[in-house]
Amino acid sequence: MFFKLKLLPFPIPERTSFFKSTRLLLALGVMGFSLTFLVQNILSIRSSRAYINSDLTYIRAPIAGNLQLNNYLPGEWVEANTPLGAVTNPRANTLILRREELKTQLATAQKSLISFSQQANTYEDILAQINQRIQKYDVQIETQKKLQNKQRNLELAQTKRNINQSYSELKRQKEEAAIAQKEAQRYQQLAEDGVISISQAEKLTSLAKQSQENVNKGSEAYQQTLNQLEINQANLSSVQINFMLRISDTENRQQQLLIHQQDLAKELISTQQKILGLNGEIDAIKNELSKIETQFKIDSFADIKSSIGGTIWSVKSRTGEYLETNEVILSMVNCENRWVEALVPEQNAAKLTPGMSVKIKLLGERQRRWKGEILAIRAGVGRMNAGEDVVGLLQDLPKRQVALRIGVEWSEPANSQDFCYVGRSVEVIIPRFGNRKGS
């Protein structure tokens, strides 16, 4: 059994309905575009002027001198610590001449110091020897004086013994004379009385006179002994004289050594003063040399290096120029610190607050778009003081404009392409009902 399926034909729309749908879609598109245009132009705030700005870093001459700069041109990217050139100071030749002069003076002073130090050491050695000899002479003189005193005491003792012996002999003679005198007188009396003969009496008288004469002679001898003692004490003996001569000779030699010692001591003091003066001179020369060496290292030659990584913005000086210290050689754009400077009509100031999200479009390049936020709003009707050391300064400010500083979320890494876009004009679009970033 066969069944026959009959398909019903679909209704074919009429041509007029197709055109109606197309017109409807076109109308909706135009309305959407108009709505978008309305939102962007009426419900958004647009900058009247805006451009990308950045810090400028100045590379300056560290010392005064002639510049030797490598071949770098504006727009080239330079990494941090890249050698850019050098500065050579032609005046360093004066420092070199002064340094050589001081080195010569130092060598001469050191040579003199060695000579005077050796001379002082010699003087000290000689003085030490002289002191030893003087001490020996002191011992010799003291010994000789002791021996002299001992000899003198012996001689005096001997003289005293002689005197005592003469005195004893004289005393004995006086006693015998006295006895003889008394016996003579007694016998004289006996002779007168007739007891003995006159001849016997005269004999005894003669003996008495002889005894008296002996006494007189003994007195004279005693007196001579005393006189001789005085003479010996005055003239001394030959031994005493010999001792005195030896002592005198020793003292004279000691005195000569003392004089020599004083002269050497004066010479030593003079030499030591010269040594002190030379030490001071050497210290002064070394200090000046150290200062010159330091100054030479600082002032003679200095490398020039980039302090940051960035793009060379401008070259102020050329190779061969003489630069003073801290004079600008070139400036560099700090691509790591870029922002957007924007001006908007002042009547919109009340609608703006820091932190609001914005959109940024690079003029002339549709694909370059970034997101950002308002960092600061600068007040001032028709006037603004822009920061120093930046790439761009808004000099011809239109009246009744508010300046905005926009922080940007850069979508590409910093490089030297078109100076990192620094100085390029952009358009800043701020939604009228925009939210704060992060909210």
Side-chain angles (χ1 to χ4, degrees), residues 144-175:
Q144 289 171 350
K145 286 182 177 180
K146 287 181 179 180
L147 292 175
Q148 181 186 17
N149 291 333
K150 185 177 180 180
Q151 182 65 26
R152 180 184 295 173
N153 292 333
L154 291 175
E155 291 181 357
L156 289 175
Q158 182 63 34
T159 303
K160 287 181 179 180
R161 285 196 295 271
N162 292 337
I163 291 173
N164 291 333
Q165 185 177 357
S166 298
Y167 179 76
S168 298
E169 183 65 23
L170 178 61
K171 182 178 180 182
R172 183 184 62 78
Q173 290 175 352
K174 285 181 177 181
E175 291 177 352

Side-chain angles (χ1 to χ4, degrees), residues 196-434:
I196 60 173
S197 63
I198 294 174
S199 60
Q200 289 179 336
E202 290 177 354
K203 185 178 180 180
L204 288 175
T205 300
S206 178
L207 291 173
K209 289 181 179 181
Q210 185 65 37
S211 296
Q212 187 61 43
E213 291 177 358
N214 291 334
V215 171
N216 293 334
K217 290 180 180 180
S219 297
E220 291 178 358
Y222 180 70
Q223 187 61 41
Q224 290 178 356
T225 302
L226 293 177
N227 293 337
Q228 186 64 40
L229 175 61
E230 293 178 358
I231 293 173
N232 290 340
Q233 288 179 342
N235 297 327
L236 297 176
S237 64
S238 60
V239 176
Q240 289 292 318
I241 293 174
N242 187 26
F243 274 120
M244 291 183 65
L245 290 175
R246 290 181 180 177
I247 293 173
S248 178
D249 180 62
T250 305
E251 288 177 343
N252 288 335
R253 284 183 287 175
Q254 186 185 46
Q255 187 64 29
Q256 291 177 357
L257 284 177
L258 288 172
I259 294 173
H260 187 40
Q261 182 187 43
Q262 291 176 356
D263 294 339
L264 284 177
K266 292 178 181 178
E267 291 292 334
L268 177 60
I269 292 173
S270 176
T271 303
Q272 289 173 341
Q273 290 176 346
K274 292 178 182 178
I275 291 173
L276 290 175
L278 284 171
N279 282 326
E281 181 181 353
I282 289 172
D283 290 340
I285 293 174
K286 287 182 177 180
N287 288 335
E288 189 174 356
L289 267 175
S290 177
K291 292 179 181 178
I292 287 179
E293 290 290 350
T294 302
Q295 186 178 1
F296 181 76
K297 291 179 181 179
I298 295 174
D299 295 346
S300 62
F301 180 86
D303 289 321
I304 302 170
K305 295 183 178 180
S306 56
S307 57
I308 63 168
T311 302
I312 294 179
W313 181 255
S314 64
V315 180
K316 303 292 185 180
S317 303
R318 301 296 177 184
T319 295
E321 290 186 24
Y322 182 84
L323 304 179
E324 295 295 338
T325 303
N326 211 34
E327 190 171 345
V328 176
I329 298 174
L330 54 84
S331 59
M332 297 179 62
V333 172
N334 187 357
C335 295
E336 297 296 330
N337 186 25
R338 292 176 292 168
W339 66 91
V340 169
E341 296 279 358
L343 294 177
V344 297
E346 189 176 16
Q347 62 265 22
N348 295 320
K351 304 172 185 178
L352 304 176
T353 58
M356 290 183 65
S357 299
V358 301
K359 296 180 179 180
I360 303 158
K361 179 174 66 175
L362 182 66
L363 296 183
E365 296 187 24
R366 295 181 178 179
Q367 68 275 18
R368 296 294 179 185
R369 298 174 182 271
W370 302 284
K371 295 180 180 180
E373 65 172 315
I374 299 175
L375 299 179
I377 303 173
R378 304 188 197 178
V381 179
R383 60 184 63 184
M384 177 185 70
N385 293 324
E388 297 180 355
D389 294 335
V390 295
V391 170
L393 296 177
L394 296 175
Q395 301 292 342
D396 53 341
L397 296 178
K399 293 184 178 181
R400 299 191 178 280
Q401 297 286 314
V402 175
L404 305 179
R405 173 166 285 199
I406 308 297
V408 183
E409 296 179 3
W410 304 105
S411 58
E412 66 284 323
N415 54 47
S416 62
Q417 181 70 28
D418 293 332
F419 297 94
C420 304
Y421 301 113
V422 172
R424 292 284 299 272
S425 296
V426 296
E427 183 182 27
V428 177
I429 303 171
I430 308 168
R432 190 177 294 272
F433 302 103

